[in-house]
């Protein structure tokens, strides 16, 4: 299906939303609003999305990490205590922080990571917690720890960053495929928990 307004080579992902506007998307030029069928509540959007994880550039984690040592959140302009990076678009975020919270649907307080997941990934997004190299998946109000893309010389995860960590091409490919095919719900190893405040 060709959607007028999206880049010609784009892969599109559609969603039915309530209370979302075009300006809520990270790049409104890659989003089109479709007419909603009669009787459907909300608005129907289709957006281009990437089939790779563009943010992963470093082969050695410690070198990749140092790019963000002095980075500041674009919302509150502070250095987050738990710095987090969206692996889909590269946005630097505050995780579990009061400074960037706001009221979401149902008037409950939501953190910046949850807010970002709603607009960047239609409720499903992939984040790298920079302080320990762990990847987390946020999906429709739930969160799961996926593991690390970076392994030590023995092929093991190392959360204290005490040993040099190198990208695992196999894990990067596995995560990219899960993002592309939206198959996180079918990965039995993931332990999902209700998002309280992220």
């Amino acid at each position: 299906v060709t959607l007028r307004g999206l880049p010609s080579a784009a892969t599109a992902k559609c969603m039915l939303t309530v209370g979302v506007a075009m300006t809520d998307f990270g790049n409104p030029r890659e989003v089109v609003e479709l007419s909603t069928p009669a009787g459907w509540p909300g608005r129907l959007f289709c957006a281009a999305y990437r089939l790779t994880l563009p943010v992963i550039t470093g082969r050695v984690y410690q070198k990749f990490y140092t790019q963000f040592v002095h980075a500041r959140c674009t919302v509150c302009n502070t250095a987050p205590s738990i710095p987090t990076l969206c692996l889909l678009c590269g946005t630097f975020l505050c995780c579990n922080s009061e400074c960037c919270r706001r009221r979401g649907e149902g008037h409950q307080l939501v953190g910046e990571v949850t807010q970002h997941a709603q607009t960047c990934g239609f409720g499903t997004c992939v984040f790298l917690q920079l302080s320990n190299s762990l990847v987390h998946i946020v999906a429709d109000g739930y969160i799961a720890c996926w593991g690390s893309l970076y392994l030590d010389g023995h092929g093991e995860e190392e959360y204290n960053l005490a040993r040099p960590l190198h990208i695992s091409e196999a894990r990067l490919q596995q995560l990219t495929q899960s993002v592309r095919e939206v198959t996180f719900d079918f990965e039995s190893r993931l332990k999902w928990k209700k998002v309280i405040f992220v």
Side-chain angles (χ1 to χ4, degrees), residues 81-136:
S81 57
I82 305 175
T84 305
L85 191 66
C86 173
L87 293 182
L88 300 183
C89 72
T91 301
F92 188 73
L93 304 160
C94 292
C95 182
N96 284 348
S97 183
E98 299 284 324
C99 57
C100 296
R101 70 181 181 175
R102 74 173 191 198
R103 297 223 178 262
E105 291 180 23
H107 303 292
Q108 68 182 29
L109 289 174
V110 294
E112 188 178 13
V113 170
T114 304
Q115 295 169 42
H116 186 79
Q118 291 167 351
T119 57
C120 180
F122 302 121
T124 301
C125 218
V126 182
F127 300 96
L128 174 66
Q129 189 174 329
L130 290 165
S131 57
N132 59 17
S133 80
L134 285 174
V135 172
H136 296 276

